[in-house]
Structure formats: structure tokens, C-alpha cells
Amino acid sequence: MFKTAKTKFLAFGAAVLGSASLANAAIAVAEDTGKITGSVELAPFMTGAGVVIVALGAMWAVKKVISLLR
């Protein structure tokens, strides 16, 4: 199913972002006014996004090193 490293990485990145986007939220709606209050926990999303960015940087660096060795 996953034949190349790029496909494997894209599948892994999609899985990480998919699970990281489930941010925790503590939201309450006032019944009388309909006002929404609360906060959203962004740490899981930011962690997943950081992992993907670092992985992309590492892949770019490895590609550059391989191109220098040729």
C-alpha cells in the first residue's frame, strides 16, 4: 500500500495531524443570552504541527546531504 518513503511520511503526517486536531475544549453556552464562553486547549494541535514541521525540515536536510554526496 505504501510503496515510497514519501507516501509513508504523508500517511504518518495525516495521522498525526488528524489526531492532534482534536483539541480539548471547555465551552459553555448561557441559556438565557446564548453567549458562548470557554477556552480551547491548543497544546495537542501545536505539538502535532511542530512534529510535522520538524520532520519536513529533517527530510529536506537529508535530501540536501544526499545531493551533496553525489
Side-chain angles (χ1 to χ4, degrees):
M1 181 175 180
F2 301 114
K3 294 183 180 181
T4 65
K6 186 175 183 180
T7 307
K8 290 177 186 177
F9 176 75
L10 288 174
F12 176 73
V16 168
L17 285 179
S19 63
S21 66
L22 301 172
N24 299 326
I27 298 174
V29 179
E31 292 182 16
D32 55 345
T33 61
K35 186 175 180 181
I36 299 173
T37 59
S39 63
V40 176
E41 178 72 35
L42 293 177
F45 174 76
M46 297 304 281
T47 302
V51 166
V52 170
I53 289 171
V54 169
L56 286 173
M59 287 180 61
W60 176 82
V62 168
K63 186 177 177 181
K64 286 295 181 182
V65 167
I66 290 172
S67 69
L68 287 174
L69 293 176
R70 288 186 180 184

